[in-house]
Amino acid sequence: MSRNESRILALTISSIIAMIVIGGAIYVLGSMKLLPGNYILYLELVIWIVGVLLVTYLFSVLIRRRLSTVIGVDNASSLGFVIRVIGYALALAGAVSVFKVGLGEALAAGGFAGLVLGLASQDVLSNVFGGIMLLLSRPYKVGQRITVSTWQYGLDFPTYSPKYFSTDYLIPGYTGTVVDITLLYTIIQTDELAELRIPNSIMIQAAIFVHDKEEKRKVRTRYEISKDFDPDMVAEKIKEELSHMDNLLAPPVVRVLEATQTTFVFGIDVIAKSVYEEPVRSEVIKRVTRVVRSLSQEEKVNGSK
């Protein structure tokens, strides 16, 4: 049984148990004349709300699973989101109709309840409206790889090897693939394969970097080389070696950024077609290492002569 099927089964069983428990409590309280009016209305209300929400959830999951291959994962997810919103609206409308509330009373009660609930649950409502805005504006889609940068969830980089000996700034963020957009959360599977749930109200405010499959990236790699070598000669050798890289979109740029007492710190900039930085940087490091090793061997041979 898959994870989604287990979740659906668990939700169905939990909903049935909840209806039985709440229905039993209403029946007991109604029999004891502790509930105002006909307790049957309360039973119908519970059955209606739980049933509508359960059917809505199952229907949205079914649409996502069946239509994702036809209309795309992102469109199927958006359609499932709309169905869930409609389900909540139907549950509320059914609750109003059960008690036969008139339009004027409903508006008055709704205004008062909205004020109370708005003050009591600002974060929840902001997440719901944030999810609706994300659905309408669609700054990102399900299946896209994004980086979320927001001040609410800051990250600290005490050390970061690609930026060693660098005054470059870092963009703190969480990178991963969007799995789902629910009423309250955007679910992201990070590159570390962890599931990250960010409230929709945060996603509305965050800076979103969308990484396309055809993305080109500028990758900077730093490499220390002994001062025994001529820096201009080393730079030309590195350029020549890196020009044979796959998916290279521009000639590599090699500069001396800094110098220590014994080494030059080279900055090697490569623009390549890649979603991830690491494969490009790995290839650069391996090729530069081969160049330096070859120069070292040549120096040994010339020195022995």
Side-chain angles (χ1 to χ4, degrees):
M1 183 180 294
S2 65
R3 182 180 179 183
N4 288 331
E5 292 174 347
S6 300
R7 183 180 300 176
I8 292 173
L9 180 60
L11 180 62
T12 303
I13 295 174
S14 300
S15 301
I16 295 174
I17 294 175
M19 283 192 292
I20 294 174
V21 172
I22 297 174
I26 292 174
Y27 177 77
V28 172
L29 293 175
S31 301
M32 298 172 63
K33 308 297 183 182
L34 297 178
L35 291 177
N38 188 357
Y39 70 90
I40 299 298
L41 289 177
Y42 297 101
L43 291 175
E44 293 176 351
L45 178 60
V46 171
I47 294 173
W48 170 261
I49 292 178
V50 176
V52 167
L53 295 181
L54 177 60
V55 171
T56 300
Y57 177 79
L58 296 178
F59 191 46
S60 65
V61 171
L62 181 63
I63 285 180
R64 287 190 57 194
R65 296 183 63 181
R66 299 296 183 182
L67 297 183
S68 58
T69 57
V70 178
I71 62 177
V73 176
D74 55 327
N75 292 323
S77 178
S78 299
L79 184 58
F81 184 91
V82 171
I83 290 174
R84 289 196 294 270
V85 173
I86 294 175
Y88 280 97
L90 287 176
L92 179 61
V96 173
S97 64
V98 165
F99 291 102
K100 299 180 180 179
V101 180
L103 179 60
E105 293 84 350
L107 291 176
F112 178 74
L115 178 61
V116 174
L117 291 176
L119 294 175
S121 57
Q122 295 181 17
D123 293 336
V124 175
L125 292 178
S126 63
N127 288 334
V128 172
F129 286 112
I132 295 174
M133 290 304 299
L134 291 174
L135 176 65
L136 296 177
S137 59
R138 304 189 76 178
Y140 51 85
K141 302 176 183 178
V142 173
Q144 283 186 322
R145 183 171 178 268
I146 64 174
T147 295
V148 182
S149 179
T150 173
W151 63 269
Q152 288 94 335
Y153 304 128
L155 296 177
D156 185 21
F157 291 90
T159 58
Y160 190 50
S161 56
K163 299 295 181 179
Y164 187 62
F165 282 133
S166 172
T167 57
D168 292 354
Y169 64 89
L170 289 169
I171 299 176
Y174 299 87
T175 302
T177 303
V178 179
V179 177
D180 194 9
I181 304 173
T182 67
L183 280 174
L184 299 179
Y185 297 96
T186 292
I187 303 174
I188 300 172
Q189 185 181 53
T190 65
D191 289 348
E192 292 77 24
L193 301 182
E195 187 176 277
L196 174 65
R197 295 172 179 260
I198 302 180
N200 289 329
S201 59
I202 302 298
M203 296 298 292
I204 287 292
Q205 307 172 43
I208 307 295
F209 299 85
V210 180
H211 304 291
D212 188 79
K213 292 182 179 180
E214 301 298 323
E215 181 178 14
K216 60 180 181 181
R217 298 185 69 92
K218 181 179 180 180
V219 179
R220 168 163 290 185
T221 305
R222 281 169 166 71
Y223 202 101
E224 288 189 68
I225 297 175
S226 172
K227 280 187 175 180
D228 295 335
F229 298 110
D230 177 22
D232 291 329
M233 182 266 294
V234 172
E236 290 301 320
K237 291 284 187 179
I238 292 175
K239 289 179 184 179
E240 180 181 356
E241 176 65 24
L242 296 182
S243 64
H244 301 295
M245 285 180 58
D246 296 331
N247 300 323
L248 202 65
L249 300 178
V253 177
V254 182
R255 303 184 182 93
V256 177
L257 301 181
E258 298 182 35
T260 67
Q261 291 183 348
T262 58
T263 62
F264 294 112
V265 180
F266 278 81
I268 306 165
D269 294 336
V270 173
I271 300 177
K273 180 180 177 182
S274 177
V275 178
Y276 301 94
E277 289 187 7
E278 287 77 8
V280 179
R281 183 174 290 114
S282 173
E283 184 65 20
V284 170
I285 292 175
K286 289 189 291 185
R287 288 178 177 269
V288 174
T289 300
R290 286 198 292 265
V291 169
V292 174
R293 186 175 299 166
S294 175
L295 293 175
S296 299
Q297 291 175 352
E298 290 180 5
E299 185 180 13
K300 289 181 181 179
V301 171
N302 293 334
S304 62
K305 292 180 180 180

